[in-house]
Amino acid sequence: MEILHEHAVVIAGGGPTGLMLAGELALAGVDVAIVERRASQDLVGVRGLGLHSRTIEVFDQRGIADRFLSQGQLHRVGFSFHHTLLDISDLPSRHSYFLALGQQQIERILAGWVDELGPALYRGREVTGFAQDDNGVDVALSDGTFLRAKYLVGCDGGRSVVRKAAGIEFPGWDATKSWLIAEVRMTEEPAWGFREDDTGTYAIGKLDDPGAMRVVLTEQALKIGGEPTLNEVREALVAVYGTDYGAHNALSISRFTDTARQAANYRDRRVLLAGDAAHVHPPMGGHGLNIGVQDAVNLGWKLAQVVKGISPESLLDTYYAERHPVGARVLRETMANVALQRPDVRTKAVGEILAEFLKLEEVRRKVIAEKSGLDIHYELGEGHRLLGRRMPDLELVTGNGPLRVFTLLHQARPVLLNIDEPGGLDITPWADRVQVVEGKYAGAWELPAIGAVTAPTAVLVRPDGYVAWVGEANQLGLHEALTTWFGGAIAASHTS
Ligand SMILES: Cc1cc2nc3c(=O)[nH]c(=O)nc-3n(C[C@H](O)[C@H](O)[C@H](O)COP(=O)(O)OP(=O)(O)OC[C@H]3O[C@@H](n4cnc5c(N)ncnc54)[C@H](O)[C@@H]3O)c2cc1C
């Protein structure tokens, strides 16, 4: 067996999830490599269309949000839920909007960031299988060579070879419907907007490029896989509109279905799954890319600590425990969305009742907090309402001037924030791993959907921006939380 190279972590797949994970591991000083089938970052077909608030916050935590904001378009009436448009401008976040930006640009920006951080990238090669033992994984590549790694992460999409080779089950629901999504030019003015019939829903909308339009068409019969053609788009248009409006020059054509599946586990010993490799669902609501990136941010720092010997392998179990429920919730929402598209009169009645509920302020607040990803709550036990929730990006007053909390996370290092009397928190045994920052904040602590919560005196924030411990005028439980998340008081701090 020819071992080409050894790395601490090999990632199969350099889509949004794999790129984000590579960046997170590289930031933590881990020797990481990506194996990517595509020879370049170019994408075929239409895929992700934008970023939700929490994903933009996650990029802000790493200091790269501006790269995305400078290329996308902000939409404050950010979401639609079954035809009801929802205003999200009052979400308590700096990023209370949907950022319209194509997956192609998102991947290019991420790839640029990763390139600056320096992971190895094996392009134009596929992971074809692997064998794992107690010490590591031999990763087989399509050119006949092997990479040796301590851990392998499958970020290789919905048809994940890694998931299949690991024998991880992928239970869920088969497709019942398929759609074509295409960007084309037309010689005639089409019927803009939405249309419904007994088969499903259809939409034609303008793109920035003058003369180009995006069509989304329910297919008359379920089709799975294959490369859809312009002829199929034309036929689907004729079936609904009676004309193809002279559709020509397809810029991109994709097919998607309402398949919804989720991996039964996200880890088998030294092999992990993230992104579409761990969950697939229809694209309604635009969640897939967003939760894949957030999977990577949850996993990255944990895997880095395990690789470096700072934390035991059991820390990786929290990745599944925290992220599986997030994926399950997205599957539920997208399945509901598809069900509501049924044209029968009874389903329409359900849709009308839902639209009435969405007019209620409390319901709107709950739904937008969920869809934006800002209400994610990891079960870290009883306590203050901040525990397990995202840390808000407060502007602190410090001895060195104003300081935004997210800037403290740029290097993906944990931070203990003391908002009480300076010097009151002693965490000397963890000082090599956890930064302590003193600051004051007099404003309200407002959480999405929940509202104002009692101001804490200190918070321990994980590298992914979630609160691991909350101080309320004492240090009860602080050392236990530090040990749980950032290793014991005498943890070995090796570099990989
Ligand atoms: C029509 C459509 C619209 C969508 N709209 C949205 C949206 O608006 N918002 C949103 O958030 N999401 C959307 N999605 C979903 C989004 O595109 C995916 O969830 C996202 O791409 C998942 O990222 P990933 O990195 O996990 O997987 P992928 O993007 O699938 O990336 C996997 C990567 O692995 C590579 N690869 C595969 N197998 C191997 C192998 N064996 N070895 C090496 N490399 C391999 C592939 O080339 C690819 O680069 C949409 C999807 C579709 C189809």
Side-chain angles (χ1 to χ4, degrees), residues 43-109:
L43 267 182
V44 179
V46 182
R47 298 200 63 186
L49 300 175
L51 299 173
H52 293 169
S53 303
R54 183 57 190 153
T55 313
I56 307 167
E57 283 196 349
V58 156
F59 292 144
D60 206 357
Q61 289 176 177
R62 298 296 178 258
I64 56 172
D66 287 347
R67 303 183 189 197
F68 299 87
L69 298 181
S70 62
Q71 293 194 29
Q73 284 177 343
L74 271 57
H75 295 274
R76 303 263 177 201
V77 178
F79 295 130
S80 71
F81 196 76
H82 188 57
H83 307 323
T84 302
L85 289 174
L86 298 171
D87 183 353
I88 62 171
S89 59
D90 59 346
L91 278 167
S93 164
R94 282 180 207 281
H95 305 293
S96 55
Y97 45 79
F98 172 76
L99 186 74
L101 184 64
Q103 183 159 340
Q104 178 75 77
Q105 287 106 304
I106 294 171
E107 289 197 16
R108 287 218 177 107
I109 296 168

Side-chain angles (χ1 to χ4, degrees), residues 45-299:
V46 182
R47 298 200 63 186
L49 300 175
L51 299 173
H52 293 169
S53 303
R54 183 57 190 153
T55 313
I56 307 167
E57 283 196 349
V58 156
F59 292 144
D60 206 357
Q61 289 176 177
R62 298 296 178 258
I64 56 172
D66 287 347
R67 303 183 189 197
F68 299 87
L69 298 181
S70 62
Q71 293 194 29
Q73 284 177 343
L74 271 57
H75 295 274
R76 303 263 177 201
V77 178
F79 295 130
S80 71
F81 196 76
H82 188 57
H83 307 323
T84 302
L85 289 174
L86 298 171
D87 183 353
I88 62 171
S89 59
D90 59 346
L91 278 167
S93 164
R94 282 180 207 281
H95 305 293
S96 55
Y97 45 79
F98 172 76
L99 186 74
L101 184 64
Q103 183 159 340
Q104 178 75 77
Q105 287 106 304
I106 294 171
E107 289 197 16
R108 287 218 177 107
I109 296 168
L110 277 174
W113 176 61
V114 169
D115 195 41
E116 290 162 21
L117 296 168
L121 182 53
Y122 301 93
R123 273 207 182 277
R125 275 171 266 198
E126 291 181 25
V127 169
T128 54
F130 65 84
Q132 61 172 319
D133 56 41
D134 289 346
N135 301 314
V137 192
D138 291 319
V139 184
L141 306 190
S142 48
D143 61 4
T145 59
F146 289 80
L147 297 174
R148 175 81 179 162
K150 288 181 184 155
Y151 287 88
L152 166 67
V153 189
C155 298
D156 49 345
R159 298 192 176 96
S160 171
V161 165
V162 173
R163 185 188 66 234
K164 290 174 191 161
I168 296 175
E169 287 186 26
F170 202 38
W173 296 270
D174 287 336
T176 62
K177 271 183 184 298
S178 57
W179 289 260
L180 291 172
I181 179 166
E183 292 177 353
V184 292
R185 294 182 185 283
M186 291 177 175
T187 49
E188 298 161 34
E189 175 96 4
W192 300 111
F194 288 96
R195 184 173 281 203
E196 281 180 340
D197 68 11
D198 287 352
T199 306
T201 53
Y202 313 85
I204 305 181
K206 288 181 183 161
L207 291 172
D208 286 344
D209 180 0
M213 41 220 91
R214 180 178 293 137
V215 299
V216 183
L217 307 162
T218 311
E219 294 191 280
Q220 301 296 309
L222 170 67
K223 289 191 188 164
I224 296 174
E227 291 292 325
T229 62
L230 180 58
N231 258 348
E232 286 177 280
V233 175
R234 286 195 187 123
E235 281 166 21
L237 281 165
V238 171
V240 185
Y241 299 92
T243 167
D244 63 10
Y245 299 114
H248 63 284
N249 266 28
L251 310 170
S252 68
I253 310 174
S254 306
R255 170 176 287 126
F256 64 89
T257 73
D258 59 351
T259 304
R261 296 187 173 278
Q262 195 172 14
N265 210 327
Y266 285 10
R267 176 162 84 99
D268 173 38
R269 292 164 290 161
R270 289 179 172 273
V271 177
L272 294 120
L273 303 175
D276 275 17
H279 36 71
V280 294
H281 49 79
M284 290 80 181
H287 289 287
L289 181 155
N290 284 272
I291 64 168
V293 165
Q294 292 177 48
D295 282 351
V297 174
N298 185 286
L299 176 60

